[in-house]
Amino acid sequence: KSSVQTIGEEQIQNPYTELLVLKGHQDIVRFLVQIDDCRFASAGDDGIIFLWNAQTGEKLFELRGHTHKITAIAPFSSSDASEEKKHLILTASADRTVIVWDCTSGRQVQKVSCFHSTVKCLTVLQRLDVWLSGGNDLCVWNRKLDLLCKTSHLTDAGISALVELPKNCVAAAVGKELIIFRLITSDDGSEGWNVLEVKRLVDHQDNILSLVSVNDLTFVTGSHVGELIVWDALDWTKQASECNFWDSSVHPDVQPEIKLSQSPNETSVQHLTSDEECVFAAVGKGIYVYNLQMKRVIACQRTAHESSVLHIEKLPNRQLISCSEDGSVRIWELREKQQLPAEPVPTGFFNMWGFGRANKQANQAAKKTQENTPVYFLELVGDLIGHSSAVQMFLYFGELGLATCSADHLVILWKDGERESRLRSLTLFQKLAQNGDLQVKF
């Protein structure tokens, strides 16, 4: 029997009771990117980019220009105050090109095809008004698509993820290494740029799969073997780490599963997201909440889905959304648990449940700390079943709903049923009033 939580038909706290199925893609849809408050783009293995209206589900544009699958996508809005704000998107493809698209006209603005390898990630540095492409090397480009500078060939594996850091620096994940680069601009106002490698961090034991910036002081990385490392964003020192996500002995409230061997896929950190307080990690089939101040996991759901969790996001309230290879999208709420009196507990796991048994005094301190520390748990409050294959990622649009994309070639817009019903009633009311069919009686 599966240990995954289930939820009945009555999902009182799940507002997403209506859905719109958006068709057009002919292969796996891997990427969704928000353009503005009510528009988003979808892209995937068919090499086509679609622009959609998040309110109505209307297909706005079909962007064709790539000949192979899309490997990265990023919004690139103009920041020039003198002109009207332009919404652009950058797309990279396995055809070794990057294209800039105008979201208002749906036209191709420019294309770069001088790459020697596939670009795996794109990052826009709005403050410097440049964008970076990461593949076998790191390239810096301006808005006109002029190549400003680039690194020498880094590795055949290539850069898998990039994150912006303070002081004109970026962190690049290259295999199991994290390379810190600094962008240097000329003082004389000329177009001279340079990108310098300033440090290599080799603390991870396996390939880095996820990378997230928390704030100007902190960023976090996660690896294939389940290591999570918290870094100082200014001096790039290791602040904390966690690598016992899959160890059932450190979660006494969770029934241990008997397993002959531990598969790496069950421990890999597929995705990270963060708010100022916590990092939310998709680890194997589970989701974990890691508090940055306490430097420990405060809540977890070891088997949140039937298979690997691919994407996780924190909503403005105390809710989380996760999606998985099993085709499901789930809503969780972080709640505080009513605590029982503390008891002696095993050591380890960032002192999550205690501080060891070094001496009696330490044990008493552990009990006191445990009594004063709130314990949280994740409760399943919604289960969105609509896709027939792995859900790659999603976008949250507030009151407009939720957009999901999947290996079933579909994009689904999930809508708040009550809100949609009210809007339809209001529209009908207005139509009747216009036609004079509505008689108001006093």
Side-chain angles (χ1 to χ4, degrees):
K1 188 184 174 184
S2 171
S3 56
V4 177
Q5 279 190 38
T6 55
I7 191 165
E9 291 295 317
E10 288 294 317
Q11 298 185 34
I12 300 162
Q13 296 174 75
N14 177 12
Y16 304 115
T17 54
E18 287 190 19
L19 57 87
L20 290 170
V21 179
L22 313 184
K23 296 179 180 178
H25 283 286
Q26 295 152 26
D27 210 329
I28 299 173
V29 190
R30 296 188 189 273
F31 303 102
L32 297 173
V33 67
Q34 189 166 345
I35 296 164
D36 55 26
D37 290 342
C38 66
R39 288 183 300 166
F40 69 98
S42 62
D45 289 5
D46 58 8
I48 308 166
I49 304 98
F50 287 101
L51 267 53
W52 308 92
N53 181 313
Q55 170 71 63
T56 63
E58 179 192 357
K59 188 190 297 178
L60 303 172
F61 294 107
E62 185 173 323
L63 312 180
R64 292 178 179 265
H66 290 295
T67 56
H68 290 71
K69 69 178 183 179
I70 306 295
T71 52
I73 184 168
F76 189 31
S77 299
S78 66
S79 53
D80 190 349
S82 64
E83 61 178 44
E84 190 181 342
K85 189 171 183 180
K86 268 189 180 176
H87 291 287
L88 308 170
I89 51 170
L90 294 163
T91 56
S93 167
D95 62 13
R96 299 187 179 184
T97 65
V98 170
I99 298 177
V100 185
W101 306 89
D102 186 323
C103 298
T104 306
S105 65
R107 290 188 182 143
Q108 184 175 308
V109 178
Q110 211 161 341
K111 186 174 187 173
V112 185
S113 43
C114 59
F115 297 99
H116 300 297
S117 65
T118 299
V119 171
K120 295 180 180 177
C121 48
L122 296 165
T123 300
V124 175
L125 308 183
Q126 291 285 5
R127 197 166 38 82
L128 295 174
D129 203 28
V130 297
W131 60 277
L132 312 178
S133 62
N136 288 357
D137 42 31
L138 178 69
C139 300
V140 183
W141 308 81
N142 66 11
R143 190 167 289 281
K144 298 172 189 170
L145 270 65
D146 300 319
L147 178 62
L148 302 175
C149 56
K150 63 183 285 191
T151 62
S152 56
H153 182 89
L154 292 167
T155 167
D156 288 337
I159 298 169
S160 58
L162 284 166
V163 69
E164 182 178 4
L165 301 179
K167 299 179 180 176
N168 295 355
C169 291
V170 290
V174 182
K176 60 179 75 171
E177 289 187 324
L178 201 60
I179 306 178
I180 309 296
F181 293 101
R182 177 172 278 121
L183 274 64
I184 299 168
T185 59
S186 60
D187 297 328
D188 57 8
S190 67
E191 279 285 297
W193 284 71
N194 203 356
V195 56
L196 295 179
E197 181 184 318
V198 290
K199 196 166 185 181
R200 285 197 181 218
L201 308 172
V202 291
D203 298 70
H204 278 289
Q205 302 300 308
D206 205 346
N207 288 345
I208 298 166
L209 298 183
S210 43
L211 189 56
V212 67
S213 173
V214 177
N215 50 39
D216 285 342
L217 301 174
T218 310
F219 72 101
V220 182
T221 52
S223 82
H224 185 62
V225 291
E227 309 154 300
L228 180 143
I229 299 180
V230 182
W231 303 92
D232 186 301
L234 297 171
D235 63 10
W236 319 305
T237 53
K238 186 171 159 182
Q239 299 296 294
S241 65
E242 180 58 81
C243 57
N244 285 324
F245 288 118
W246 62 90
D247 188 351
S248 59
S249 66
V250 296
H251 302 296
D253 59 332
V254 177
Q255 285 295 315
E257 295 176 45
I258 299 167
K259 288 183 181 171
L260 297 174
S261 64
Q262 192 72 44
S263 163
N265 287 339
E266 293 178 2
T267 64
S268 67
V269 183
Q270 279 97 222
H271 189 239
L272 293 169
T273 188
S274 172
D275 58 14
E276 288 290 311
E277 193 179 344
C278 294
V279 173
F280 306 92
V283 185
K285 299 176 184 178
I287 51 181
Y288 292 76
V289 183
Y290 180 90
N291 187 285
L292 290 160
Q293 192 174 4
M294 298 181 199
K295 294 182 177 173
R296 65 180 180 85
V297 172
I298 60 166
C300 74
Q301 189 60 246
R302 288 180 64 228
T303 46
H305 291 266
E306 297 278 2
S307 50
S308 293
V309 181
L310 299 180
H311 195 82
I312 183 171
E313 287 294 341
K314 167 83 163 49
L315 300 192
N317 49 32
R318 294 185 68 80
Q319 290 186 337
L320 290 171
I321 297 183
S322 59
C323 67
S324 165
E325 282 181 349
D326 65 13
S328 65
V329 182
R330 306 192 116 188
I331 307 169
W332 306 86
E333 190 157 306
L334 187 63
R335 294 188 177 165
E336 196 170 323
K337 191 182 287 185
Q338 294 298 314
Q339 279 204 272
L340 299 169
E343 292 187 18
V345 287
T347 60
F349 199 58
F350 257 103
N351 311 327
M352 179 173 177
W353 309 104
F355 290 86
R357 304 182 187 134
N359 54 49
K360 195 173 179 183
Q361 191 176 357
N363 229 14
Q364 286 170 347
K367 282 186 181 182
K368 192 171 182 183
T369 306
Q370 197 177 347
E371 283 167 1
N372 297 336
T373 305
V375 176
Y376 298 89
F377 69 103
L378 288 163
E379 184 177 347
L380 179 64
V381 295
D383 205 353
L384 311 183
I385 306 296
H387 287 290
S388 60
S389 194
V391 181
Q392 303 293 318
M393 68 171 291
F394 54 85
L395 280 180
Y396 176 68
F397 276 95
E399 63 175 15
L400 292 186
L402 189 75
T404 57
C405 66
S406 168
D408 61 11
H409 310 180
L410 299 176
V411 175
I412 293 181
L413 269 179
W414 303 84
K415 295 288 189 178
D416 181 333
E418 286 187 14
R419 180 179 180 272
E420 295 302 306
S421 180
R422 283 197 305 272
L423 289 173
R424 282 192 292 270
S425 298
L426 186 63
T427 305
L428 180 62
F429 188 87
Q430 288 169 341
K431 279 184 179 175
L432 290 170
Q434 284 170 2
N435 295 338
D437 297 336
L438 194 67
Q439 293 182 353
V440 182
K441 294 182 180 179
F442 296 96

Short mmCIF file of all heavy atoms in Angstrom, two decimals, residues 207-244:
data_model
loop_
_atom_site.label_atom_id
_atom_site.label_comp_id
_atom_site.label_asym_id
_atom_site.label_seq_id
_atom_site.Cartn_x
_atom_site.Cartn_y
_atom_site.Cartn_z
N ASN A 207 26.59 16.07 -8.57
CA ASN A 207 26.16 17.18 -9.44
C ASN A 207 25.12 18.07 -8.77
O ASN A 207 24.18 17.58 -8.15
CB ASN A 207 25.58 16.63 -10.75
CG ASN A 207 26.66 16.07 -11.64
OD1 ASN A 207 27.85 16.31 -11.43
ND2 ASN A 207 26.27 15.29 -12.64
N ILE A 208 25.30 19.37 -8.95
CA ILE A 208 24.36 20.36 -8.41
C ILE A 208 23.16 20.45 -9.36
O ILE A 208 23.32 20.74 -10.54
CB ILE A 208 25.04 21.73 -8.26
CG1 ILE A 208 26.21 21.62 -7.27
CG2 ILE A 208 24.05 22.78 -7.79
CD1 ILE A 208 27.16 22.80 -7.30
N LEU A 209 21.98 20.18 -8.83
CA LEU A 209 20.76 20.18 -9.66
C LEU A 209 19.93 21.45 -9.49
O LEU A 209 19.16 21.80 -10.37
CB LEU A 209 19.88 18.98 -9.30
CG LEU A 209 20.46 17.58 -9.51
CD1 LEU A 209 19.42 16.54 -9.17
CD2 LEU A 209 20.94 17.39 -10.94
N SER A 210 20.05 22.10 -8.34
CA SER A 210 19.21 23.26 -8.07
C SER A 210 19.98 24.35 -7.35
O SER A 210 20.89 24.07 -6.57
CB SER A 210 17.97 22.85 -7.28
OG SER A 210 18.33 21.95 -6.25
N LEU A 211 19.58 25.57 -7.63
CA LEU A 211 20.31 26.75 -7.17
C LEU A 211 19.28 27.85 -6.98
O LEU A 211 18.49 28.11 -7.87
CB LEU A 211 21.30 27.12 -8.28
CG LEU A 211 22.38 28.15 -8.13
CD1 LEU A 211 23.28 27.87 -6.95
CD2 LEU A 211 23.22 28.20 -9.40
N VAL A 212 19.24 28.48 -5.79
CA VAL A 212 18.25 29.54 -5.56
C VAL A 212 18.85 30.65 -4.71
O VAL A 212 19.62 30.39 -3.78
CB VAL A 212 16.96 28.97 -4.90
CG1 VAL A 212 17.22 28.48 -3.49
CG2 VAL A 212 15.84 30.00 -4.89
N SER A 213 18.51 31.89 -5.06
CA SER A 213 18.93 33.04 -4.26
C SER A 213 17.84 33.33 -3.23
O SER A 213 16.66 33.39 -3.58
CB SER A 213 19.13 34.26 -5.17
OG SER A 213 19.37 35.40 -4.39
N VAL A 214 18.24 33.48 -1.97
CA VAL A 214 17.26 33.78 -0.91
C VAL A 214 17.11 35.29 -0.77
O VAL A 214 16.01 35.82 -0.77
CB VAL A 214 17.71 33.16 0.43
CG1 VAL A 214 16.76 33.54 1.55
CG2 VAL A 214 17.83 31.65 0.31
N ASN A 215 18.24 35.98 -0.65
CA ASN A 215 18.28 37.44 -0.56
C ASN A 215 19.70 37.89 -0.89
O ASN A 215 20.49 37.09 -1.39
CB ASN A 215 17.85 37.93 0.85
CG ASN A 215 18.60 37.20 1.96
OD1 ASN A 215 19.79 36.92 1.84
ND2 ASN A 215 17.90 36.87 3.03
N ASP A 216 20.03 39.14 -0.63
CA ASP A 216 21.36 39.65 -0.96
C ASP A 216 22.47 39.05 -0.10
O ASP A 216 23.66 39.26 -0.38
CB ASP A 216 21.40 41.18 -0.84
CG ASP A 216 20.68 41.86 -1.98
OD1 ASP A 216 20.47 41.19 -3.02
OD2 ASP A 216 20.31 43.05 -1.85
N LEU A 217 22.09 38.31 0.93
CA LEU A 217 23.11 37.75 1.83
C LEU A 217 23.27 36.24 1.68
O LEU A 217 24.29 35.70 2.09
CB LEU A 217 22.73 38.06 3.29
CG LEU A 217 22.59 39.55 3.67
CD1 LEU A 217 22.08 39.68 5.09
CD2 LEU A 217 23.93 40.26 3.50
N THR A 218 22.28 35.59 1.12
CA THR A 218 22.26 34.12 1.16
C THR A 218 21.80 33.51 -0.16
O THR A 218 20.89 34.02 -0.80
CB THR A 218 21.29 33.64 2.27
OG1 THR A 218 21.60 34.32 3.48
CG2 THR A 218 21.38 32.15 2.50
N PHE A 219 22.46 32.40 -0.54
CA PHE A 219 21.90 31.55 -1.61
C PHE A 219 22.10 30.10 -1.22
O PHE A 219 22.87 29.77 -0.32
CB PHE A 219 22.51 31.89 -2.98
CG PHE A 219 23.94 31.48 -3.18
CD1 PHE A 219 24.27 30.34 -3.90
CD2 PHE A 219 24.99 32.26 -2.69
CE1 PHE A 219 25.59 29.96 -4.11
CE2 PHE A 219 26.31 31.90 -2.89
CZ PHE A 219 26.61 30.75 -3.61
N VAL A 220 21.35 29.21 -1.89
CA VAL A 220 21.31 27.80 -1.49
C VAL A 220 21.45 26.91 -2.71
O VAL A 220 20.93 27.23 -3.79
CB VAL A 220 19.97 27.48 -0.76
CG1 VAL A 220 19.93 26.04 -0.28
CG2 VAL A 220 19.77 28.42 0.43
N THR A 221 22.16 25.79 -2.53
CA THR A 221 22.32 24.81 -3.62
C THR A 221 21.87 23.43 -3.14
O THR A 221 21.94 23.12 -1.95
CB THR A 221 23.79 24.72 -4.08
OG1 THR A 221 24.63 24.50 -2.93
CG2 THR A 221 24.23 25.98 -4.78
N GLY A 222 21.43 22.61 -4.10
CA GLY A 222 21.03 21.23 -3.78
C GLY A 222 21.60 20.28 -4.81
O GLY A 222 21.68 20.62 -6.00
N SER A 223 21.99 19.07 -4.38
CA SER A 223 22.67 18.14 -5.29
C SER A 223 21.89 16.85 -5.51
O SER A 223 20.88 16.58 -4.88
CB SER A 223 24.06 17.80 -4.75
OG SER A 223 23.96 16.77 -3.78
N HIS A 224 22.45 16.03 -6.41
CA HIS A 224 21.83 14.77 -6.82
C HIS A 224 21.76 13.77 -5.68
O HIS A 224 20.88 12.91 -5.64
CB HIS A 224 22.61 14.18 -8.00
CG HIS A 224 21.99 12.95 -8.58
ND1 HIS A 224 20.73 12.96 -9.16
CD2 HIS A 224 22.43 11.67 -8.67
CE1 HIS A 224 20.44 11.73 -9.59
NE2 HIS A 224 21.44 10.94 -9.28
N VAL A 225 22.70 13.84 -4.73
CA VAL A 225 22.69 12.87 -3.62
C VAL A 225 22.07 13.46 -2.35
O VAL A 225 22.27 12.98 -1.25
CB VAL A 225 24.11 12.34 -3.30
CG1 VAL A 225 24.60 11.45 -4.41
CG2 VAL A 225 25.08 13.46 -3.02
N GLY A 226 21.28 14.52 -2.52
CA GLY A 226 20.49 15.02 -1.40
C GLY A 226 21.21 15.95 -0.46
O GLY A 226 20.83 16.07 0.70
N GLU A 227 22.24 16.63 -0.93
CA GLU A 227 22.92 17.61 -0.07
C GLU A 227 22.30 18.99 -0.32
O GLU A 227 22.13 19.38 -1.47
CB GLU A 227 24.41 17.71 -0.41
CG GLU A 227 25.14 16.41 -0.44
CD GLU A 227 26.36 16.50 -1.35
OE1 GLU A 227 26.22 16.79 -2.55
OE2 GLU A 227 27.46 16.31 -0.83
N LEU A 228 22.01 19.70 0.75
CA LEU A 228 21.57 21.08 0.66
C LEU A 228 22.62 21.93 1.38
O LEU A 228 22.98 21.64 2.52
CB LEU A 228 20.20 21.24 1.31
CG LEU A 228 19.59 22.65 1.29
CD1 LEU A 228 18.08 22.55 1.08
CD2 LEU A 228 19.85 23.40 2.58
N ILE A 229 23.17 22.94 0.69
CA ILE A 229 24.18 23.80 1.30
C ILE A 229 23.70 25.25 1.26
O ILE A 229 23.24 25.74 0.22
CB ILE A 229 25.55 23.66 0.62
CG1 ILE A 229 26.08 22.23 0.75
CG2 ILE A 229 26.56 24.65 1.22
CD1 ILE A 229 27.44 21.98 0.11
N VAL A 230 23.80 25.93 2.41
CA VAL A 230 23.46 27.35 2.53
C VAL A 230 24.76 28.14 2.47
O VAL A 230 25.69 27.88 3.23
CB VAL A 230 22.74 27.63 3.86
CG1 VAL A 230 22.35 29.10 3.96
CG2 VAL A 230 21.50 26.74 4.01
N TRP A 231 24.82 29.12 1.54
CA TRP A 231 26.05 29.88 1.30
C TRP A 231 25.87 31.36 1.65
O TRP A 231 24.78 31.91 1.48
CB TRP A 231 26.45 29.81 -0.18
CG TRP A 231 26.64 28.43 -0.72
CD1 TRP A 231 25.70 27.65 -1.33
CD2 TRP A 231 27.85 27.66 -0.72
NE1 TRP A 231 26.24 26.45 -1.71
CE2 TRP A 231 27.56 26.42 -1.36
CE3 TRP A 231 29.15 27.90 -0.26
CZ2 TRP A 231 28.51 25.44 -1.53
CZ3 TRP A 231 30.11 26.91 -0.44
CH2 TRP A 231 29.79 25.69 -1.06
N ASP A 232 26.96 31.98 2.06
CA ASP A 232 27.00 33.43 2.21
C ASP A 232 27.20 34.02 0.82
O ASP A 232 28.15 33.68 0.12
CB ASP A 232 28.16 33.83 3.14
CG ASP A 232 28.16 35.32 3.45
OD1 ASP A 232 28.24 36.12 2.50
OD2 ASP A 232 28.12 35.69 4.63
N ALA A 233 26.31 34.92 0.41
CA ALA A 233 26.34 35.46 -0.95
C ALA A 233 27.43 36.52 -1.14
O ALA A 233 27.72 36.90 -2.27
CB ALA A 233 24.98 36.05 -1.32
N LEU A 234 28.04 36.99 -0.05
CA LEU A 234 29.06 38.04 -0.16
C LEU A 234 30.48 37.48 -0.17
O LEU A 234 31.32 37.92 -0.94
CB LEU A 234 28.90 39.05 0.99
CG LEU A 234 27.57 39.82 0.99
CD1 LEU A 234 27.43 40.62 2.27
CD2 LEU A 234 27.47 40.73 -0.22
N ASP A 235 30.75 36.49 0.72
CA ASP A 235 32.11 35.93 0.74
C ASP A 235 32.15 34.47 0.31
O ASP A 235 33.19 33.84 0.34
CB ASP A 235 32.76 36.12 2.12
CG ASP A 235 32.02 35.36 3.22
OD1 ASP A 235 31.13 34.53 2.89
OD2 ASP A 235 32.33 35.58 4.41
N TRP A 236 31.00 33.91 -0.05
CA TRP A 236 30.85 32.57 -0.64
C TRP A 236 31.33 31.47 0.31
O TRP A 236 31.79 30.41 -0.13
CB TRP A 236 31.58 32.49 -1.99
CG TRP A 236 31.38 33.71 -2.80
CD1 TRP A 236 30.19 34.27 -3.18
CD2 TRP A 236 32.39 34.60 -3.29
NE1 TRP A 236 30.41 35.42 -3.89
CE2 TRP A 236 31.75 35.66 -3.98
CE3 TRP A 236 33.78 34.59 -3.23
CZ2 TRP A 236 32.44 36.69 -4.58
CZ3 TRP A 236 34.49 35.63 -3.85
CH2 TRP A 236 33.82 36.66 -4.50
N THR A 237 31.19 31.71 1.61
CA THR A 237 31.52 30.67 2.58
C THR A 237 30.28 29.84 2.87
O THR A 237 29.15 30.30 2.74
CB THR A 237 32.04 31.28 3.90
OG1 THR A 237 31.08 32.23 4.36
CG2 THR A 237 33.38 31.94 3.70
N LYS A 238 30.51 28.59 3.30
CA LYS A 238 29.43 27.67 3.62
C LYS A 238 28.88 28.03 5.01
O LYS A 238 29.62 28.06 5.98
CB LYS A 238 30.01 26.26 3.60
CG LYS A 238 29.02 25.15 3.77
CD LYS A 238 29.76 23.85 3.49
CE LYS A 238 29.05 22.66 4.10
NZ LYS A 238 29.80 21.44 3.87
N GLN A 239 27.58 28.32 5.08
CA GLN A 239 26.96 28.71 6.35
C GLN A 239 26.34 27.52 7.09
O GLN A 239 26.34 27.48 8.31
CB GLN A 239 25.86 29.75 6.09
CG GLN A 239 26.37 31.04 5.46
CD GLN A 239 27.33 31.77 6.38
OE1 GLN A 239 26.94 32.25 7.43
NE2 GLN A 239 28.59 31.85 5.99
N ALA A 240 25.78 26.61 6.34
CA ALA A 240 25.12 25.44 6.93
C ALA A 240 24.90 24.40 5.85
O ALA A 240 24.99 24.71 4.65
CB ALA A 240 23.78 25.86 7.55
N SER A 241 24.64 23.18 6.26
CA SER A 241 24.33 22.15 5.27
C SER A 241 23.42 21.10 5.88
O SER A 241 23.30 20.98 7.09
CB SER A 241 25.62 21.49 4.76
OG SER A 241 26.25 20.78 5.79
N GLU A 242 22.78 20.36 5.01
CA GLU A 242 21.85 19.30 5.41
C GLU A 242 21.98 18.18 4.39
O GLU A 242 21.98 18.42 3.19
CB GLU A 242 20.42 19.87 5.40
CG GLU A 242 19.36 18.87 5.78
CD GLU A 242 19.61 18.28 7.15
OE1 GLU A 242 19.29 18.92 8.16
OE2 GLU A 242 20.17 17.18 7.19
N CYS A 243 22.13 16.95 4.88
CA CYS A 243 22.22 15.84 3.91
C CYS A 243 21.57 14.56 4.44
O CYS A 243 21.88 13.48 3.98
CB CYS A 243 23.69 15.58 3.54
SG CYS A 243 24.72 15.21 4.95
N ASN A 244 20.65 14.71 5.39
CA ASN A 244 19.97 13.53 5.94
C ASN A 244 18.48 13.52 5.64
O ASN A 244 17.69 13.05 6.43
CB ASN A 244 20.17 13.48 7.46
CG ASN A 244 21.56 13.02 7.83
OD1 ASN A 244 22.14 12.18 7.15
ND2 ASN A 244 22.11 13.60 8.88
#
